[in-house]
Amino acid sequence: MDRFTYHTRGVCSRAIDIAIEDGIITEVRYLGGCSGNTQGVAALVRGMSVKDAIERLSGIRCGFKSTSCPDQLAQALSAYLEKN
C-alpha cells in the first residue's frame, strides 16, 4: 500500500492524505476545506481506480478559482502515477 500527502495549491484545504493499493484508492482525507464537500469527495472515490478518479475530477473549478479540492485530488493522483 502506498500512502502520501499532497500539499494543495489555490484552494481552502491545505493538504490531502491519500492511500492507494494496486491502483485503487483506499482512503482520502483532506486537511481543511469545506468539511462536507471534502468528506463527500473522499467517500465517492474510495474503491475507485486512480485513472478513473483523475478522469472524473480533472478540471473541476470552485467559483472563480482555476482549481478545486476535487481537481487538486486529480493533480495529486496524476503526480502519483508519474512517479510510479
Side-chain angles (χ1 to χ4, degrees):
M1 178 179 299
D2 293 322
R3 289 185 171 275
F4 63 100
T5 299
Y6 180 82
H7 296 280
T8 58
R9 295 171 197 86
V11 295
C12 298
S13 65
R14 297 180 308 279
I16 311 170
D17 292 329
I18 304 164
I20 297 170
E21 187 170 359
D22 297 326
I24 303 297
I25 300 164
T26 58
E27 184 180 359
V28 172
R29 198 178 106 226
Y30 284 86
L31 304 174
C34 303
S35 182
N37 290 336
T38 57
Q39 286 180 60
V41 169
L44 289 170
V45 298
R46 192 176 308 119
M48 187 180 290
S49 77
V50 169
K51 291 180 181 181
D52 284 346
I54 293 168
E55 184 178 310
R56 291 182 184 199
L57 302 176
S58 290
I60 294 174
R61 296 173 55 139
C62 183
F64 295 106
K65 297 177 184 180
S66 62
T67 189
S68 65
C69 289
D71 182 61
Q72 287 292 294
L73 177 56
Q75 290 182 37
L77 295 170
S78 293
Y80 169 80
L81 285 182
E82 287 177 20
K83 290 182 180 180
N84 295 291

